[in-house]
Amino acid sequence: MVRAPCCEKMGLKRGPWTQEEDQILITYINLYGHDNWRALPKQAGLLRCGKSCRLRWTNYLRPDIKRGNFSREEEDTIIELHEILGNRWSAIAARLPGRTDNEIKNVWHTHLKKRLKQNQASATTPVAKQPHSLKMQINDHLENIETNPITNHPNPVKLESPQHSSSDISSVTTAATTMEADDAWDNYNFLDVDENFLCDVLTDHDSGAMTSGFPAADDHVENVYGYSSSQPDGNGMDFWYHLFTTAGGLPELPDF
DNA sequence: AATGTTGACAACCGCCTTGTT
DNA sequence: GAACAAGGCGGTTGTCAACAT
């Protein structure tokens, strides 16, 4: 595959944006939207490449961006999510309304890494060890699956209703009562669910994708585990319901 | 006051993924 | 299925202001 150049550098401006350029971009997007970033600068009369316009808009000019310093709560959230998600800045940003991945990345490198080091040096209840740590909750959750013979069920939960909503899942607090082996799931090993995968699930859950069949996580299941999450009854919710119910319910999520 | 250093953050680069033809 | 275009993402760099010497 031949990569197209990121931008045609000849004659195009780089570096910091001027107020005038910002205004042109804002006005254009407000009028016509941004269906085609590559064509946008030409149509708007900007001497920038489409990529530069997109970044400027998404990282700075978007009306829903929250400017200003990060609150302590936001910083704590970033630290927790980083424990789980690693450098997946966009995934972290998805949980912080009004904050961009770029902004979070910068805050991480300039503030939070330093703060973590200080915490570790002082050895006083570092954030990673706080009781509400999501990572700890997930670990507890997985340990529970391994150690609890009641919830460590090799077979999926068979739900009484074929239709499950996101509220079904979020309201699960105990193991399902009815379990039934299903050939389609016989080889499924729940313990194979790794942390990253679970994080994907949680991310999807939080972003509302729960109700649309978890497309990204569905693919993950199919690729990694060889199962279509639509099995056995064609409803993608089953896999997730199974995931949560066999584990005894979702850990309580922190209030992001 | 001049110079050097550091921190913050905007912007860019290049790779990867996805959608289209 | 291959080729390509475009968007998304994470890593990195460039710039500038604040602070220290």
Side-chain angles (χ1 to χ4, degrees), chain A residues 2 46 217:
Chain A
V2 179
L46 285 165

Side-chain angles (χ1 to χ4, degrees), chain A residues 23 41 251:
Chain A
Q23 200 50 56

Side-chain angles (χ1 to χ4, degrees), chain A residues 7-252:
Chain A
C7 62
E8 183 62 54
K9 292 186 174 64
M10 292 292 289
L12 291 184
K13 196 178 167 190
R14 300 179 65 205
W17 281 63
T18 64
Q19 280 192 347
E20 188 186 0
E21 287 176 311
D22 283 347
Q23 200 50 56
I24 292 171
L25 184 58
I26 291 168
T27 304
Y28 183 88
I29 289 177
N30 285 340
L31 284 172
Y32 306 108
H34 50 74
D35 287 342
N36 187 338
W37 286 112
R38 205 175 180 83
L40 187 150
K42 198 173 183 180
Q43 292 166 353
L46 285 165
L47 288 173
R48 297 274 183 174
C49 70
K51 204 168 184 174
S52 180
C53 293
R54 181 174 60 80
L55 250 71
R56 183 64 179 169
W57 175 256
T58 56
N59 287 338
Y60 201 84
L61 299 177
R62 253 170 39 203
D64 57 332
I65 286 185
K66 192 196 290 182
R67 312 298 310 174
N69 294 336
F70 279 61
S71 68
R72 184 77 180 191
E73 288 72 27
E74 285 177 311
E75 290 186 355
D76 288 345
T77 300
I78 293 168
I79 291 170
E80 281 199 7
L81 290 172
H82 188 269
E83 288 175 46
I84 301 163
L85 300 168
N87 295 353
R88 293 169 62 190
W89 307 115
S90 60
I92 295 172
R95 286 178 172 273
L96 288 164
R99 301 298 190 180
T100 69
D101 53 355
N102 204 36
E103 203 176 7
I104 291 168
K105 186 168 53 182
N106 284 332
V107 167
W108 175 259
H109 285 124
T110 55
H111 293 284
L112 302 183
K113 273 203 304 194
K114 211 182 302 171
R115 203 179 111 189
L116 275 181
K117 274 186 182 175
Q118 285 169 354
N119 282 345
Q120 283 162 1
S122 63
T124 58
T125 320
V127 171
K129 299 298 178 192
Q130 285 174 5
H132 67 281
S133 161
L134 180 54
K135 186 175 187 177
M136 285 183 70
Q137 290 183 49
I138 290 171
N139 285 338
D140 290 347
H141 200 55
L142 294 173
E143 277 174 23
N144 182 48
I145 296 162
E146 291 176 5
T147 56
N148 186 334
I150 297 171
T151 57
N152 183 18
H153 197 286
N155 296 315
V157 174
K158 189 71 176 182
L159 299 162
E160 293 181 6
S161 164
Q163 298 297 320
H164 320 303
S165 67
S166 57
S167 61
D168 288 329
I169 292 166
S170 60
S171 66
V172 170
T173 54
T174 57
T177 53
T178 308
M179 294 187 178
E180 183 178 301
D182 189 308
D183 289 341
W185 296 84
D186 272 349
N187 296 320
Y188 172 67
N189 180 3
F190 183 71
L191 299 180
D192 282 343
V193 176
D194 65 27
E195 190 173 280
N196 286 335
F197 170 51
L198 194 50
C199 291
D200 286 342
V201 174
L202 295 172
T203 300
D204 278 351
H205 177 264
D206 206 45
S207 67
M210 219 51 157
T211 53
S212 59
F214 325 96
D218 277 354
D219 288 342
H220 184 102
V221 173
E222 194 152 1
N223 291 338
V224 176
Y225 303 105
Y227 285 101
S228 165
S229 62
S230 62
Q231 291 174 300
D233 66 357
N235 189 322
M237 288 289 182
D238 271 341
F239 175 81
W240 309 109
Y241 202 90
H242 160 64
L243 177 64
F244 300 138
T245 53
T246 51
L250 264 176
E252 188 180 343

